[in-house]
Structure formats: structure tokens, C-alpha cells
Amino acid sequence: SAFDAVKGRKLWSVKTKLPLAGGAGVDSRYVAAGSIDGVVVLLSLEDGKEIWRTNVASEVLSAPALAPGAVIVRTVDGRITALSTEDGDELWFNQQSMPRLSLRGVAAPIVIAGAVVCGFDNGRLAAYQLSDGDVLWDVMLAPPSGRTEIERLIDLDSTAVLVGNDLYAISYQGRLASVAAESGQLLWSQELSSYSGIAGDSTSIYVATTDSELMSVSSASGRELWRLELLLNRGITGPVLHERSVVVGDYKGYLHWFDVSTGELQARIRAGSDRITSQPLVVNDILYVMNDGGTLYAFRVEPEKKRGG
């Protein structure tokens, strides 16, 4: 479905008859989505008209990325596949070896400066040439440790974040790391665990940990700046930046705004009674969130009233 961004009016809705799972990838012309039965569908952004659908033979659990002439899809079998926006034909693919046991979910690919970057369930972050899929660099962020397969889970299920010239990625039971986007050089890393997502600005990286702690660390060094246990075990979403706040949702349907510099709670509001699982989205000055009951909400920060006004 497509909605007016300001008023929430539905513009169009299309029944694909597919079990869609990972959300939609969008650019100025197209909408792409994948299903758990391995089908990718491309629609027109203008009216939702289907352009093509094609089978990639494995589950798609994250949003595809759109690039000029290509739809980039990450599947649970460790493949990155580029499909032509013209007819859905395969342009190229590359594949990582996957562990026998992994978390349910995969990181979404991102497109930066002629490259596709994605994290994998084997703890690796890799960049591929957008034009032909050749490997530009491939780095191990979180080598597995432990005696059991559960202890050795190191999935990179959170989508990598680009801030300036550096990439930031985090793994489950592993590490938060900073990597030079051009070369793949590891700049710093520290032990942290997350599967829900991260956000970043020019000074800080914000992390929702596996235990639902919210943290801020220096983007330059990885040094911890502040840590909140206020939402411990509330199943918080990945964070998003909204104005001068970092925002997360939780299992009771609440959204929480925290000051980016201090971690001080600024506001809290409930978006219905259903759990919020998906990371909120910010476009311009509006924050959007969909709860697990299927209701879409939009929020804007109101300016403080002047004294005496």
C-alpha cells in the first residue's frame, strides 16, 4: 500500500497474493518486495501496477535495495542477487557459506557509491561491485566462539549504516564494528550483541542491545558515551534518529524519545496496544511506525511553546 506522507490518505493498494515478509524497497520509480516462498515482485511507485515477478529460489526476509537498473535481493541461503528492473532477469549473484544454525532474519543490502554492502549469518560484512557482483572486500566482524552451535551464533541481521565514509555493523553475540566503506579496513570494534538495528550520526552510533539496553557510543572510537537500562527486557526495536532525539518502540506499543547527547527521556507515547517490532522510519521531520496489528502511525515533534504564550 502507498499512503500520502503528510495526511495518511491511501493512494493505492495491491494484492500480490504473496506471503510478503521483509518490507518494501523504494526509489523514485519502483517498489520492490520479496516473499517467504522466494518470489520478488516489482511494482510501479505511481499506481502500484505490477511490472514483473520472478523466483529467486530462497526466502526473502529483508527489503530489497533499488539501484539504477537493478533490484538487489538478499536471501536466507546467503546469496546476493541483482535482478534487472526491466524484466526481472538475473544480472549477477554472489554467495556466502552459511552456518547450519542461525537466527530467523537477514540483513537488508544497501547500495553506496557503485557498491552493494550486506552482512551475513557467518559474521562477515562484504561489499560487491554493483555492475557485475565482483567482491570488492570481505571482512570478518565477529568470529564464532563457544562450544555449542547456539553459543556460536554470530548473525549480522541488522542492516549496516553508512555515516560519512565509514560503515557501522553489529552482530548477535558478537561485535559492533566500524569499517572503512571504500577499503573494508576494520577501524575499531567492541563486544556488543544486537539483532534489531543501529542508527548513527556524525558523533555517535546508537544501539539497541539484545537485552533491550539503549546505548550511545562514539562513532570515532567506539567508546561508550551513555547506556540506559530503563527499557530492559521490553523487546525494543532498532533505534532511529528524529530531530535531536533517538527513538525506539517496544513490546507494549510505546514509542520513547531520548536526548541524543545525554540519554535523558524526553517523551513517551503509545501507538496502539500492539507490539512494535519493526524499526521506525523517519522521512523529513515525520516519524512513521507500524505496529504488529497493522496500524500505521505518523508523529511530528511539536515546538516548545514560548513562555507567556
Side-chain angles (χ1 to χ4, degrees):
S1 300
F3 299 88
D4 181 280
V6 177
K7 298 181 179 180
R9 179 174 58 89
K10 183 181 286 188
L11 303 176
W12 53 258
S13 185
V14 174
K15 290 185 178 180
T16 65
K17 297 183 180 180
L18 296 172
L20 303 176
V26 181
D27 67 5
S28 61
R29 296 181 60 191
Y30 303 112
V31 179
S35 71
I36 60 175
D37 55 9
V39 175
V40 177
V41 61
L42 188 71
L43 310 175
S44 165
L45 179 65
E46 182 180 3
D47 56 12
K49 181 180 179 181
E50 183 172 319
I51 299 170
W52 51 254
R53 63 176 62 194
T54 191
N55 198 315
V56 291
S58 185
E59 292 178 285
V60 182
L61 299 180
S62 61
L66 287 165
V71 179
I72 314 298
V73 181
R74 158 81 157 92
T75 49
V76 298
D77 58 357
R79 284 170 59 115
I80 287 279
T81 304
L83 305 171
S84 168
T85 53
E86 182 177 350
D87 52 20
D89 284 352
E90 183 181 290
L91 300 175
W92 55 260
F93 80 91
N94 215 310
Q95 189 163 15
Q96 294 265 346
S97 60
M98 294 292 99
R100 289 193 305 170
L101 184 67
S102 64
L103 298 179
R104 177 69 171 169
V106 298
I110 61 172
V111 176
I112 55 170
V116 178
V117 177
C118 194
F120 295 89
D121 299 350
N122 57 7
R124 307 192 74 88
L125 184 71
Y128 304 93
Q129 185 73 42
L130 180 59
S131 59
D132 56 16
D134 284 351
V135 178
L136 297 174
W137 51 259
D138 185 333
V139 60
M140 171 64 80
L141 294 190
S145 62
R147 290 179 297 178
T148 69
E149 287 190 81
I150 293 177
E151 289 175 339
R152 294 170 65 83
L153 289 172
I154 49 169
D155 303 48
L156 270 70
D157 280 354
S158 300
T159 301
V161 172
L162 178 68
V163 181
N165 296 318
D166 299 328
L167 284 161
Y168 299 87
I170 194 167
S171 64
Y172 176 69
Q173 298 186 145
R175 293 182 173 273
L176 170 67
S178 173
V179 174
E182 185 175 352
S183 64
Q185 178 185 357
L186 185 64
L187 303 176
W188 58 257
S189 69
Q190 69 156 291
E191 287 191 19
L192 274 177
S193 176
S194 178
Y195 52 79
S196 56
I198 59 177
D201 57 29
S202 59
T203 61
S204 304
I205 302 300
Y206 307 93
V207 181
T209 72
T210 303
D211 296 325
S212 290
E213 293 177 306
L214 183 62
M215 291 181 59
S216 171
V217 303
S218 167
S219 57
S221 65
R223 177 176 58 89
E224 183 177 316
L225 301 177
W226 52 257
R227 181 192 296 249
L228 298 177
E229 297 183 355
L230 180 66
L231 305 177
L232 200 64
N233 299 320
R234 289 178 69 98
I236 62 175
T237 67
V240 66
L241 293 169
H242 188 211
E243 304 290 341
R244 289 293 300 163
S245 305
V246 56
V247 186
V248 295
D250 71 18
Y251 79 111
K252 288 191 174 182
Y254 284 96
L255 289 164
H256 311 263
W257 280 256
F258 299 94
D259 184 273
V260 292
S261 300
T262 65
E264 179 183 0
L265 179 64
Q266 298 171 312
R268 176 183 288 136
I269 192 168
R270 200 171 196 184
S273 58
D274 292 295
R275 181 188 183 103
I276 300 173
T277 299
S278 299
Q279 190 171 7
L281 172 70
V282 171
V283 181
N284 297 322
D285 63 341
I286 300 178
L287 180 143
Y288 303 91
V289 64
M290 178 175 282
N291 66 23
D292 289 8
T295 303
L296 181 64
Y297 294 84
F299 297 90
R300 179 183 282 127
V301 174
E302 292 185 357
E304 294 184 11
K305 294 182 179 180
K306 296 181 180 178
R307 293 183 182 274

